[in-house]
Amino acid sequence: MIMEQPLYFGTQYYRPPTPAREDWDRDLAAIRALGMNLVKVWAIWGWMEPRPGHYEFDDLEQLLDLAHQHGLNVQINVAGVEMAPFWLDRICPGGRRVVNGIFMPRQNSLCCLPADFSAFCPDHPEVGRRMTEFFRATAARFTAHPALMGWDAWNELMGMGCYCAHTVAAYREWLRNKYGDELDALSHAWRRRYMAWEDIRPPEHPRCGYADMVEWKTFLADHTAAQARQRYDALRAGDPVHPVMAHTSTPSLHNGRGGLAWGDDDRKLAMLLDGWGVSWAPAETPIAPENHGTTYTLDITRGAADGPFWISELHASGPMVDGFTTRDSPPEYREQKFWIWTALAAQAKAVLFWQYRPELAGPEAPGWGIVRADGTFTERARQLGETGRILGKYNRELAAARPPRAPVAILYDPQIAMMQQAEHSPELFAASLKGYHRLLWELNVTAEFLHPRDLDRLGDFPLAIFPFPALIADADARILRRYVENGGHLWTEAFMGQFDERWEARPTVPPTELAELFGVSFGERHGAKELGMVPPEGATIKLPDAFVIEQMTPTPDAVVSAWAHAGGKSPLAVERQAGAGRTLCLGTLFGRAAGEMPDTGDAAAWFAEKIAKFGVVSPFAVSPSRSGVRCRLLQAGDATWVICANHGATVSTRIEVMLPCPGCAAGEVYGDPACHISLDGGRLTLAGDMAEHSVWVVRAAHADGKD
Ligand SMILES: [Zn+2]
C-alpha cells in the first residue's frame, strides 16, 4: 500500500499538550510553505480517553481540519499501553508488565514521555481489550477525514518481554503448539526431564541454555508481531481504507543488545503491516567515511521492509534526549540535506522530522525543533524550503524510483543473535554483519539483508555472504548447496554450522553437507587478536580483532587463496568450484575485523578483487578510490537519479557510471556549480571539487521527458 503513496516530506507536529492551540494555524501554513506535505500528530490513549469509555478528540479534529485547509496530509500516531491512562491501574489491577519479579513502576508524566516505556502488558485481557477498543474508536472517528493519510500503530516499537502470569501462560501455549502438545518432545529437544508444562519458566538471566534463550526470544518475536497485528486489526476495524504502519527505534540487526535481544524481529513485524519505518538519528554520529553505521541502519530497515520504508523520525536539532542535554552545534541545513538524500538513495519514501517545534512539557522540553520554541525560523528552517521545492517538483518520480537489483545478499539468522544473548559476546553477530556492509558500502556496491523467511529469493543474487554462520539447520545447508550448484557464489567464514537446529554443538564442523560444498574441515579453534592474512601475491594484510582462527584442512579439489600468519602458516581462505558456482570460506571473522578497522585499506582491496571474480563490481567508478564519496542509483521509468554523498573532506573527484538511457540529458537538480556533468554515449561523468559533507543529486532523462 505504501508503495502506491506519494513521496512524503514532513514533520512530527503535535504530541499533546504542545504546541499550543493558538500556534497551529500559523505553524501549519509555515510547514506547507516549506514544501512539506505531511504532518504527524498523536492520539495518546492516556490523553484522548481521560475517563473510561469517554473520548475527547476535539484537538485532533481541529488539527486535521486546519491541516486540510493548508493542503497537508496527516498521519496519526496512536499510542496504547506505552502511554496509558492514569485510571488503568485502578480498573485493571495487576495489569502492569512484570520484569525482575516486580511490576513496572508508575511514571507520573506518562502523557509526555517518549514512548520507549511500556508499563502495561496487553496480555492482561482487560488491558488488551480496552487498548484495542481505543484504537478502533480512534480509527472510526477519523477514517472519513479528507486530511487523513494513514496510521502509525506503534511508535518506536519495542517488545521487550514480560514475565506476568498472562505472558508466561502465552509462552507455554506457544511451546505446546510447537511441540504438538508433547511434553516429552520438548524435554527431548531441550535435553531435560520436565514433569509438567507449568514447570517451564522463561529465562530471567542471560546465562542459560541456548534452547531456553532462543525459544523464549523467538516466542517474543512472534508475540510482538502478534501484538502489532492486534493494533493493526483494531485500527482496521474502525478504518477499512488507510494504510497502517509501525516504526522502530532500534532495528533488529542494529547491535547485539537491542532489537532481537528484546525479541523484535523486524522482518516478521513488517510482513504483517502496510509499511515499516525507523527513527533515524544520523546527527548523533559525525559524518565521516568510517561512520558507515548510519547507512547500515537504512539498509537493514529496507531489508526488513523488503523495499520502500519510512524515516519516521529524523532528528531536527541533534541529540537532546532531555532538555538539559545539548549538541556542540545545531545541525546545519547542508547536513539535513545530506541525510535526506542519503535516506532517499536507500529507498526511503518518507522523511519526517522530529520535530517541528520544541515541546514545552515533558522530559524532552525544550529539545529538538526545526524552528525555535517561539515558532520563529532558524536558518536551517529557512533553507529547508529549497529541498522541499525539489521534492515537490519530482514527487511522483521519486516515489516510484527504485534501485537496480542488488548483486549481493547478506544472510542472517536471528537465532544466532538470540543464542548470543546467552553468551558473553552479544556483539559478534551484528558486528559481523556490519563489517561486510561497510566493505560493500565503501565499494559502492548495494547489498540486501536476507531473512531466513526469504531464502527462496537467494537465486536472485550472484553473491551471498553469510557472516558469523554459527547456526545452520540441515535443511538450510541443502538450500545453500543447491544455490551454489546452480551458479551462485557463497562466501562464509569461521563457526560455519557450529550449531544445529536444536542449538546443539555439532561434533564435526562444518557439517558434512557444507564440508563437501566448501572443500574444508575445521580442527581446533583458537583466539586471534592480531592476525596477518597472506595472499599468494602481495603484502600481509593485518586483521585486528579478527577474534578467532579455525585450523582448516582443505580437500584436494579446493584451493587455498590466502594464508594465516599467526605464529605459523596455515590456510585462511579456501575456495572451491562446486557445480556451476563457487564457494569461499574464511577461517576467521573477516567481517568483524573489517568493521573494527580505522581504515579498511588492504583488506578492502583484497575483498574487492575477490568479489569481482564472483561477478560483483560497482556500477560506479569513483576516483580517488579511497575518498568518502558514496553513490547510489535510482530508476523511475525513463529517468535515472544519481545520488552521491561525500562523507569525507572536500575532494577533487571524478565519478563515472553507465546510464541505461544513451539519449538522456542530465542536470544537477540543485544546480551545484562545482559539479561538472558530461554525458557521452550513456556514460555519465561528474567531476569537480566536491565539498565536505555535500551531496550531488543528478537527474538524467530524455529531454522530452516530463520535468
Ligand atoms: Zn505480561
Side-chain angles (χ1 to χ4, degrees), residues 94-98 120-124 161-168 223 227:
R96 285 181 177 266
R97 287 174 57 225
V98 175
F120 287 89
C121 179
D123 290 337
H124 184 288
C162 170
Y163 296 84
C164 79
H166 305 287
T167 306
V168 172
H223 199 57
Q227 287 176 353

mmCIF file of all heavy atoms in Angstrom, residues 94-98 120-124 161-168 223 227, ligand 1:
data_model
loop_
_atom_site.group_PDB
_atom_site.id
_atom_site.type_symbol
_atom_site.label_atom_id
_atom_site.label_comp_id
_atom_site.label_asym_id
_atom_site.label_seq_id
_atom_site.Cartn_x
_atom_site.Cartn_y
_atom_site.Cartn_z
ATOM 1 N N GLY A 94 -3.016 -5.330 38.565
ATOM 2 C CA GLY A 94 -2.206 -6.449 38.053
ATOM 3 C C GLY A 94 -1.975 -6.365 36.559
ATOM 4 O O GLY A 94 -1.527 -7.340 35.951
ATOM 5 N N GLY A 95 -2.251 -5.205 35.957
ATOM 6 C CA GLY A 95 -2.106 -5.075 34.504
ATOM 7 C C GLY A 95 -0.734 -4.616 34.056
ATOM 8 O O GLY A 95 -0.485 -4.482 32.864
ATOM 9 N N ARG A 96 0.148 -4.350 35.009
ATOM 10 C CA ARG A 96 1.485 -3.868 34.630
ATOM 11 C C ARG A 96 2.397 -5.014 34.232
ATOM 12 O O ARG A 96 2.246 -6.132 34.698
ATOM 13 C CB ARG A 96 2.114 -3.106 35.798
ATOM 14 C CG ARG A 96 1.503 -1.745 35.953
ATOM 15 C CD ARG A 96 2.120 -0.950 37.079
ATOM 16 N NE ARG A 96 1.496 0.362 37.061
ATOM 17 C CZ ARG A 96 2.021 1.417 36.425
ATOM 18 N NH1 ARG A 96 3.179 1.327 35.828
ATOM 19 N NH2 ARG A 96 1.380 2.560 36.408
ATOM 20 N N ARG A 97 3.376 -4.663 33.375
ATOM 21 C CA ARG A 97 4.388 -5.644 33.000
ATOM 22 C C ARG A 97 5.188 -6.043 34.235
ATOM 23 O O ARG A 97 5.406 -5.228 35.135
ATOM 24 C CB ARG A 97 5.346 -5.061 31.957
ATOM 25 C CG ARG A 97 4.736 -4.915 30.585
ATOM 26 C CD ARG A 97 5.688 -4.207 29.650
ATOM 27 N NE ARG A 97 6.964 -4.915 29.573
ATOM 28 C CZ ARG A 97 8.153 -4.325 29.631
ATOM 29 N NH1 ARG A 97 8.236 -3.024 29.760
ATOM 30 N NH2 ARG A 97 9.248 -5.020 29.549
ATOM 31 N N VAL A 98 5.625 -7.288 34.251
ATOM 32 C CA VAL A 98 6.458 -7.766 35.346
ATOM 33 C C VAL A 98 7.855 -8.034 34.806
ATOM 34 O O VAL A 98 8.023 -8.792 33.850
ATOM 35 C CB VAL A 98 5.868 -9.057 35.961
ATOM 36 C CG1 VAL A 98 6.813 -9.620 37.023
ATOM 37 C CG2 VAL A 98 4.497 -8.783 36.551
ATOM 38 N N PHE A 120 2.412 -1.150 30.831
ATOM 39 C CA PHE A 120 1.316 -2.117 30.958
ATOM 40 C C PHE A 120 1.471 -3.246 29.948
ATOM 41 O O PHE A 120 2.062 -3.077 28.883
ATOM 42 C CB PHE A 120 -0.031 -1.417 30.750
ATOM 43 C CG PHE A 120 -0.422 -0.547 31.902
ATOM 44 C CD1 PHE A 120 -0.020 0.774 31.948
ATOM 45 C CD2 PHE A 120 -1.157 -1.065 32.961
ATOM 46 C CE1 PHE A 120 -0.362 1.573 33.024
ATOM 47 C CE2 PHE A 120 -1.498 -0.272 34.040
ATOM 48 C CZ PHE A 120 -1.101 1.060 34.075
ATOM 49 N N CYS A 121 0.901 -4.395 30.305
ATOM 50 C CA CYS A 121 1.024 -5.571 29.445
ATOM 51 C C CYS A 121 -0.300 -5.824 28.727
ATOM 52 O O CYS A 121 -1.313 -6.088 29.377
ATOM 53 C CB CYS A 121 1.402 -6.787 30.284
ATOM 54 S SG CYS A 121 1.534 -8.268 29.276
ATOM 55 N N PRO A 122 -0.297 -5.779 27.402
ATOM 56 C CA PRO A 122 -1.549 -6.015 26.675
ATOM 57 C C PRO A 122 -2.005 -7.466 26.747
ATOM 58 O O PRO A 122 -3.111 -7.780 26.289
ATOM 59 C CB PRO A 122 -1.211 -5.605 25.236
ATOM 60 C CG PRO A 122 0.260 -5.680 25.131
ATOM 61 C CD PRO A 122 0.821 -5.456 26.507
ATOM 62 N N ASP A 123 -1.172 -8.356 27.328
ATOM 63 C CA ASP A 123 -1.639 -9.739 27.523
ATOM 64 C C ASP A 123 -2.663 -9.833 28.657
ATOM 65 O O ASP A 123 -3.411 -10.806 28.741
ATOM 66 C CB ASP A 123 -0.454 -10.665 27.840
ATOM 67 C CG ASP A 123 0.444 -10.853 26.634
ATOM 68 O OD1 ASP A 123 -0.042 -10.663 25.496
ATOM 69 O OD2 ASP A 123 1.630 -11.167 26.823
ATOM 70 N N HIS A 124 -2.675 -8.852 29.533
ATOM 71 C CA HIS A 124 -3.727 -8.785 30.547
ATOM 72 C C HIS A 124 -5.033 -8.550 29.789
ATOM 73 O O HIS A 124 -5.161 -7.542 29.076
ATOM 74 C CB HIS A 124 -3.439 -7.633 31.505
ATOM 75 C CG HIS A 124 -4.402 -7.535 32.653
ATOM 76 N ND1 HIS A 124 -5.701 -7.100 32.481
ATOM 77 C CD2 HIS A 124 -4.261 -7.812 33.972
ATOM 78 C CE1 HIS A 124 -6.319 -7.105 33.654
ATOM 79 N NE2 HIS A 124 -5.454 -7.544 34.578
ATOM 80 N N GLY A 161 9.492 -7.920 26.293
ATOM 81 C CA GLY A 161 9.207 -9.088 27.119
ATOM 82 C C GLY A 161 8.608 -8.739 28.456
ATOM 83 O O GLY A 161 8.718 -7.621 28.952
ATOM 84 N N CYS A 162 7.928 -9.706 29.020
ATOM 85 C CA CYS A 162 7.219 -9.517 30.275
ATOM 86 C C CYS A 162 7.091 -10.889 30.919
ATOM 87 O O CYS A 162 6.990 -11.896 30.219
ATOM 88 C CB CYS A 162 5.840 -8.916 29.957
ATOM 89 S SG CYS A 162 4.714 -8.882 31.360
ATOM 90 N N TYR A 163 7.138 -10.921 32.235
ATOM 91 C CA TYR A 163 7.070 -12.197 32.949
ATOM 92 C C TYR A 163 5.793 -12.303 33.780
ATOM 93 O O TYR A 163 5.754 -13.026 34.771
ATOM 94 C CB TYR A 163 8.312 -12.372 33.830
ATOM 95 C CG TYR A 163 9.601 -12.463 33.035
ATOM 96 C CD1 TYR A 163 10.261 -11.321 32.609
ATOM 97 C CD2 TYR A 163 10.142 -13.707 32.693
ATOM 98 C CE1 TYR A 163 11.433 -11.395 31.871
ATOM 99 C CE2 TYR A 163 11.317 -13.796 31.955
ATOM 100 C CZ TYR A 163 11.963 -12.634 31.550
ATOM 101 O OH TYR A 163 13.125 -12.709 30.816
ATOM 102 N N CYS A 164 4.753 -11.535 33.400
ATOM 103 C CA CYS A 164 3.492 -11.642 34.144
ATOM 104 C C CYS A 164 2.851 -13.001 33.842
ATOM 105 O O CYS A 164 3.221 -13.681 32.884
ATOM 106 C CB CYS A 164 2.548 -10.492 33.793
ATOM 107 S SG CYS A 164 1.670 -10.689 32.236
ATOM 108 N N ALA A 165 1.879 -13.369 34.666
ATOM 109 C CA ALA A 165 1.252 -14.691 34.533
ATOM 110 C C ALA A 165 0.627 -14.871 33.150
ATOM 111 O O ALA A 165 0.673 -15.970 32.573
ATOM 112 C CB ALA A 165 0.194 -14.867 35.622
ATOM 113 N N HIS A 166 0.068 -13.798 32.577
ATOM 114 C CA HIS A 166 -0.598 -13.913 31.270
ATOM 115 C C HIS A 166 0.411 -14.181 30.161
ATOM 116 O O HIS A 166 0.174 -15.002 29.274
ATOM 117 C CB HIS A 166 -1.373 -12.627 30.961
ATOM 118 C CG HIS A 166 -2.342 -12.248 32.027
ATOM 119 N ND1 HIS A 166 -3.523 -12.935 32.241
ATOM 120 C CD2 HIS A 166 -2.297 -11.274 32.975
ATOM 121 C CE1 HIS A 166 -4.158 -12.388 33.265
ATOM 122 N NE2 HIS A 166 -3.438 -11.383 33.728
ATOM 123 N N THR A 167 1.542 -13.468 30.191
ATOM 124 C CA THR A 167 2.549 -13.639 29.137
ATOM 125 C C THR A 167 3.220 -15.011 29.258
ATOM 126 O O THR A 167 3.448 -15.688 28.255
ATOM 127 C CB THR A 167 3.596 -12.504 29.217
ATOM 128 O OG1 THR A 167 2.908 -11.249 29.176
ATOM 129 C CG2 THR A 167 4.562 -12.571 28.060
ATOM 130 N N VAL A 168 3.518 -15.416 30.494
ATOM 131 C CA VAL A 168 4.139 -16.731 30.682
ATOM 132 C C VAL A 168 3.182 -17.836 30.223
ATOM 133 O O VAL A 168 3.600 -18.822 29.587
ATOM 134 C CB VAL A 168 4.581 -16.920 32.149
ATOM 135 C CG1 VAL A 168 5.040 -18.351 32.406
ATOM 136 C CG2 VAL A 168 5.712 -15.939 32.488
ATOM 137 N N HIS A 223 5.329 -13.023 19.365
ATOM 138 C CA HIS A 223 4.322 -12.399 20.228
ATOM 139 C C HIS A 223 4.249 -10.892 19.967
ATOM 140 O O HIS A 223 3.160 -10.322 19.890
ATOM 141 C CB HIS A 223 4.713 -12.677 21.679
ATOM 142 C CG HIS A 223 3.586 -12.499 22.644
ATOM 143 N ND1 HIS A 223 2.399 -13.191 22.537
ATOM 144 C CD2 HIS A 223 3.464 -11.714 23.740
ATOM 145 C CE1 HIS A 223 1.599 -12.826 23.520
ATOM 146 N NE2 HIS A 223 2.215 -11.928 24.263
ATOM 147 N N GLN A 227 1.171 -8.757 18.602
ATOM 148 C CA GLN A 227 0.649 -7.542 19.251
ATOM 149 C C GLN A 227 0.565 -6.385 18.252
ATOM 150 O O GLN A 227 -0.372 -5.588 18.291
ATOM 151 C CB GLN A 227 1.536 -7.163 20.436
ATOM 152 C CG GLN A 227 1.348 -8.101 21.619
ATOM 153 C CD GLN A 227 2.305 -7.797 22.762
ATOM 154 O OE1 GLN A 227 3.193 -6.964 22.635
ATOM 155 N NE2 GLN A 227 2.121 -8.490 23.865
HETATM 156 ZN ZN ZN B 1 2.745 -9.626 30.578
#
